[in-house]
Structure formats: C-alpha cells, structure tokens
Amino acid sequence: MNFREIISAGIQFLLLLAVQILLLKNLALFGLAFCFIYLMGVLLLPISTRTIPLMLIAFLMGITVDIFYDTLGMHTAAITAMSFVRNSWLKVISPSGGYDEGEIPSLQAQSTGWFVTYAFPLFFFFSFIFFSIDFWGTGNWLNVLNKSFFSSIFTLVLAIIVQLLFFRRRRVIR
C-alpha cells in the first residue's frame, strides 16, 4: 500500500467507526438484528494484507467500539477472531486464476455474488462469537443463532448499500 491508500483507509476506518458509534449504537430491528457496519473496515482491506497486521487493526477498531459501547472486550474478541479467519476464507473462495496483487475485496472490484459469499460468512462468524459471549452460560443457543443470522443479513444489506452509494466504481477495460 502506498501512502495515499493508507491515508484513504485511515479516513475510511474513522468514518465507519463514527457511523457505528454515533448512529448505529441503538439501532436494532425488532430486537433481533443489529448492524455492525464498522466490520467493513477490516473486510475491505487489500487481499494481500497479512494476518498479524490485520489482527492488530481489527483489535484497535474493536477496542474503540468497546470503549464507546461499554461492552468489555466483546467487539474486540469477535472482530479479532474474524480478522484471523479472513485470509483463510479468502483462500477458500479464491477464483481459479487467483487474486491480483493489491486487489480489494469490494463490491466494485468483484461481483455481487462473490461479495455476498465473502462477507456473509465472516459477518455470521463475527456475530456468532459476539452473541455467544453476550449470552455466555445461559444456554440460550437458539437466541444466539437467531441474532447472529439476522444481524449478519442486516449488516450485509447495509454494507452493500453503503458500497453502492459511497464507493466509486472502477473503470474496467476489457
């Protein structure tokens, strides 16, 4: 990543964190679906990003959200675990020709189907860990699965809308 891309990613992180903290903190659909839009900051980093720097970035984002949400490390644990799994998941869903160097796994760079295949399992993984920690010891696994599934769908829909509205489409010459 060059300096311009680093500054752009930093601004993107700050905007996503601000939206999450200021606007989405109390947003819940029917008490079941919560939106975790700040996860896009980790998911939209270049594919070539190594696991350890990715986990450090995720840790910082998670601890920032935890400070404002007063959730005692729940966001930090879940997003750090998700960032650990991200590169392995990218290898599993890799196209036959592989990825280009520095490619970003966004809706604009890939197809919509590929992005859904990429993002939904990672959103679900995050949500499952988050709500498992939240309901620890209560034995309410059906509630954990419900909230994880609907929160993942809600976050995915909002992530697609945000990318369609605010991200520039790259020109592709074929």
Side-chain angles (χ1 to χ4, degrees), residues 151-170:
S151 295
S152 301
I153 290 174
F154 186 35
T155 303
L156 180 68
V157 168
L158 219 59
I160 289 172
I161 290 171
V162 164
Q163 287 187 64
L164 290 175
L165 291 177
F166 299 111
F167 285 56
R168 288 186 301 194
R169 184 167 289 280
R170 278 202 255 170

Side-chain angles (χ1 to χ4, degrees), residues 22-97:
L22 299 174
L23 299 177
L24 301 177
K25 182 175 183 179
N26 296 319
L27 178 65
L29 294 179
F30 310 109
L32 258 153
F34 298 87
C35 185
F36 303 110
I37 199 70
Y38 75 100
L39 299 176
M40 284 179 53
V42 172
L43 293 185
L44 296 181
L45 284 172
I47 292 173
S48 59
T49 307
R50 298 194 182 267
T51 304
I52 299 299
L54 188 68
M55 288 176 68
L56 289 173
I57 292 168
F59 180 84
L60 291 174
M61 288 184 80
I63 200 77
T64 303
V65 172
D66 278 332
I67 288 169
F68 288 97
Y69 275 41
D70 197 26
T71 49
L72 297 172
M74 290 167 46
H75 287 275
T76 305
I79 195 171
T80 305
M82 185 196 73
S83 67
F84 179 73
V85 172
R86 175 188 177 253
N87 287 342
S88 299
W89 181 242
L90 278 169
K91 288 177 186 170
V92 169
I93 62 170
S94 174
S96 58

